[in-house]
């Protein structure tokens, strides 16, 4: 069991007031908060050993390089990658996806097919559309049902020997649906396609094992797992990372690269041009350490309790409609009040110190599917409490009264 009050004491921001009310932070799917041990690592870096890495013989540079490479190993261990050089530091999930999409420009030809899902974040749709424009490849979409689950029968039918790449998120940021990625990966491999899984939304809740999944690429952002913004990672199987051309150097140039003509630095440096976010990478490692100390099994079971409680309490409100009621979902609740714009509800909740997200959550196709402009999304983390959910429920009731 979690000692939630002890955990909350680790997060300085959780004791601040917003609009003269105690902050209730329910926007964890957009970004998570940062605990003191991670803040300490950031302060320590700039106070004691800020230096450029992999270049200097001097002590500070050695220290920074060591810590950065230790962080890479922490990430490797966390995801159970076979090699540390299969972990590429990036600026985040979006960067990681673009890196792979650019790499595939050199590998795809006209009429090859890429499959994505209807549940994707914009950062998972646009790079593939751009890739299709460049290569003449065709984008296919796995549709969803009303519960917010992907329809696997259609996926089976979409797969063929033309399929070169399948891309889905592990967990949908808009609805919280946990997708059956084991099945998706197995089926894609059966037709010889590679699979990239967007783990931005799953990593705060589950600890993925990339070898057990046998996934080709897996991507995540540090800021959703209690780390800083502007840093993330790409896991790629060694054989794939060797096959893909480097990303930075300019998109135009990358389209011209062929494997015969070009030689690259060894992995992982081939994909890490320029001075990286050194402090961020080190803090990413510290954030994973922090979460592993709490334990992902503990986190998941506590968050499931919060999800069940919030679902039960919110469903007592008449005219409240949930979006995304998948059997397997994580602690994200998307809902609307009948006849009321989500933005107006969000504004009133903010006055009460409650941070939720309103809008399309960078997933407009999902909103189009439901024919709505957006939803109110409350997303819970392991440092949230049932008392905070009570505050939310009261706030939603109040908003409903004021707006209807
Ligand atoms: C947050 C998120 C992203 C984008 O992550 P960035 O850190 O902004 O690059 C992509 N996919 C999903 C599912 C997300 O939740």
């Amino acid at each position: 069991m979690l000692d939630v009050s002890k955990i909350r004491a680790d997060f300085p921001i959780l004791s601040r007031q917003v609009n003269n009310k105690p902050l209730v932070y329910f926007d964890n799917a957009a970004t998570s908060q940062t605990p003191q041990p991670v803040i300490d690592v950031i302060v320590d870096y700039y106070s004691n050993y800020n230096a450029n890495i992999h270049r200097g013989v001097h002590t500070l540079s050695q220290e920074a390089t060591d810590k950065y490479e230790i962080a890479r190993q922490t990430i490797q261990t966390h995801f159970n990658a076979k090699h540390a050089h299969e972990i590429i530091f990036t600026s985040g999930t979006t960067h990681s996806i673009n890196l792979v999409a650019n790499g595939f420009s050199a590998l795809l030809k006209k009429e090859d097919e890429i499959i994505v899902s209807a549940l994707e974040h914009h950062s998972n749709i646009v790079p593939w559309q751009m890739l299709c424009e460049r290569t003449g490849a065709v984008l296919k979409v796995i549709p969803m049902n009303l519960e917010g689950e992907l329809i696997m029968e259609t996926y089976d039918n979409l797969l063929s020997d033309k399929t070169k790449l399948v891309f889905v998120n592990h967990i949908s940021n808009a609805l919280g649906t946990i997708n059956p990625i084991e099945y998706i990966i197995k089926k894609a491999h059966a037709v010889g396609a590679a699979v990239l899984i967007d783990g931005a939304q799953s990593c705060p809740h589950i600890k993925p094992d990339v070898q057990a999944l046998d996934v080709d690429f897996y991507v995540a952002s540090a800021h959703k797992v209690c780390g800083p913004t502007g840093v993330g990672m790409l896991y790629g199987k060694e054989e794939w990372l060797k096959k893909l051309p480097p990303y930075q150097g300019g998109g135009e140039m990358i389209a011209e690269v062929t494997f015969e003509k070009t030689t690259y630095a060894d992995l992982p440096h081939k994909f890490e041009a320029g001075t990286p976010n050194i402090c961020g990478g080190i803090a990413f490692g510290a954030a994973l350490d922090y979460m592993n100390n709490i334990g992902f099994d503990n986190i998941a079971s506590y968050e499931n309790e919060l999800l069940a409680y919030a679902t039960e309490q919110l469903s007592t409100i008449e005219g409240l409609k949930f979006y995304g009621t998948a059997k397997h979902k994580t602690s994200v609740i998307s809902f609307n009040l009948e006849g009321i714009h989500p933005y107006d509800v969000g504004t009133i909740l903010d006055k009460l110190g409650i941070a939720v997200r309103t809008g399309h959550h960078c997933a407009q196709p999902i909103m189009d599917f439901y024919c709505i402009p957006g939803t109110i999304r409350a997303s819970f983390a392991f440092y949230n409490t049932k008392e905070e959910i009570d505050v939310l429920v009261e706030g939603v009731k109040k908003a409903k009264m004021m707006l209807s």
Side-chain angles (χ1 to χ4, degrees):
M1 268 310 292
L2 298 189
D3 185 345
V4 179
S5 56
K6 184 161 162 280
I7 288 170
R8 288 179 68 81
D10 286 338
F11 291 79
I13 207 168
L14 295 181
S15 53
R16 74 159 278 186
Q17 307 251 312
V18 169
N19 295 322
N20 300 317
K21 300 277 196 301
L23 167 67
V24 171
Y25 187 77
F26 284 160
D27 196 17
N28 294 288
T31 202
S32 57
Q33 294 303 343
T34 317
Q36 195 62 48
V38 176
I39 298 172
D40 289 344
V41 164
I42 295 168
V43 172
D44 182 43
Y45 173 82
Y46 283 109
S47 308
N48 292 311
Y49 63 98
N50 176 29
N52 213 329
I53 53 169
H54 297 139
R55 321 191 172 167
V57 289
H58 63 82
T59 302
L60 296 192
S61 174
Q62 296 282 344
E63 283 180 19
T65 304
D66 288 350
K67 293 247 167 87
Y68 193 64
E69 291 308 321
I70 288 170
R72 193 191 306 275
Q73 287 163 18
T74 302
I75 297 166
Q76 175 202 354
T77 306
H78 178 80
F79 289 97
N80 193 32
K82 196 164 172 194
H83 307 289
H85 62 249
E86 291 175 319
I87 303 294
I88 311 296
F89 278 115
T90 65
S91 70
T93 300
T94 304
H95 176 187
S96 303
I97 294 167
N98 277 281
L99 191 162
V100 175
N102 262 275
F104 266 86
S105 296
L107 305 181
L108 292 183
K109 53 182 195 315
K110 214 161 173 278
E111 295 186 359
D112 281 344
E113 292 178 359
I114 302 172
I115 297 179
V116 298
S117 94
L119 280 174
E120 299 309 318
H121 188 280
H122 293 166
S123 75
N124 309 348
I125 301 171
V126 183
W128 307 116
Q129 288 172 331
M130 290 162 67
L131 174 59
C132 287
E133 270 167 32
R134 283 195 299 273
T135 58
V138 181
L139 199 64
K140 303 267 167 163
V141 182
I142 313 169
M144 61 188 267
N145 63 22
L146 273 173
E147 284 72 40
E149 294 165 328
L150 295 177
I151 302 171
M152 283 299 106
E153 295 75 33
T154 313
Y155 172 60
D156 292 345
N157 294 334
L158 289 176
L159 285 165
S160 75
D161 56 4
K162 286 185 174 171
T163 314
K164 292 296 174 291
L165 187 67
V166 175
F167 177 84
V168 271
N169 57 34
H170 196 163
I171 294 183
S172 152
N173 70 306
L175 305 179
T177 310
I178 303 175
N179 292 314
I181 63 166
E182 294 81 0
Y183 180 87
I184 289 170
I185 293 166
K186 213 158 58 198
K187 284 285 186 162
H189 285 171
V191 298
V195 180
L196 192 163
I197 298 292
D198 172 357
Q201 211 54 243
S202 49
C203 290
H205 312 288
I206 21 190
K207 185 170 174 161
D209 179 331
V210 293
Q211 288 190 80
L213 287 169
D214 193 27
V215 67
D216 303 288
F217 303 97
Y218 198 96
V219 299
S221 296
H223 71 95
K224 291 189 179 165
V225 289
C226 299
T229 56
V231 65
M233 68 110 204
L234 160 68
Y235 159 79
K237 278 184 188 164
E238 185 182 47
E239 64 200 86
W240 273 113
L241 293 178
K242 283 189 167 158
K243 231 184 274 183
L244 292 188
Y247 174 45
Q248 278 180 328
E252 299 303 323
M253 171 210 139
I254 279 173
E256 305 295 328
V257 169
T258 66
F259 299 119
E260 294 74 32
K261 274 188 274 181
T262 319
T263 55
Y264 314 122
D266 286 339
L267 291 171
H269 309 295
K270 172 178 152 186
F271 294 108
E272 293 183 353
T275 302
N277 184 349
I278 303 165
C279 176
I282 295 168
F284 187 4
L288 290 178
D289 283 342
Y290 179 83
M291 293 193 68
N292 278 305
N293 277 337
I294 294 173
F296 278 84
D297 289 343
N298 294 331
I299 288 172
S301 70
Y302 178 66
E303 288 174 344
N304 283 338
E305 242 178 75
L306 291 180
L307 175 66
Y309 182 72
T311 306
E312 184 191 298
Q313 295 300 312
L314 285 170
S315 56
T316 63
I317 300 174
E318 218 180 295
L320 185 145
K321 184 168 167 28
F322 293 111
Y323 295 93
T325 48
K327 247 190 258 87
H328 300 289
K329 64 174 284 185
T330 186
S331 50
V332 170
I333 295 189
S334 251
F335 63 95
N336 272 330
L337 292 173
E338 207 178 354
I340 301 176
H341 199 280
Y343 178 83
D344 297 333
V345 180
T347 308
I348 290 177
L349 293 178
D350 178 59
K351 294 264 191 312
L352 300 170
I354 306 163
V356 294
R357 176 121 321 201
T358 63
H360 54 57
H361 319 298
C362 297
Q364 237 160 4
I366 299 179
M367 303 304 137
D368 292 347
F369 175 79
Y370 288 119
C371 302
I372 51 175
T375 67
I376 303 150
R377 181 186 70 185
S379 50
F380 313 118
F382 58 93
Y383 42 73
N384 289 129
T385 64
K386 287 185 182 166
E387 291 72 28
E388 289 180 306
I389 290 169
D390 293 338
V391 174
L392 171 71
V393 173
E394 285 314 306
V396 173
K397 284 181 184 163
K398 190 166 175 186
K400 187 187 156 192
M401 222 164 57
M402 289 170 69
L403 295 166
S404 51

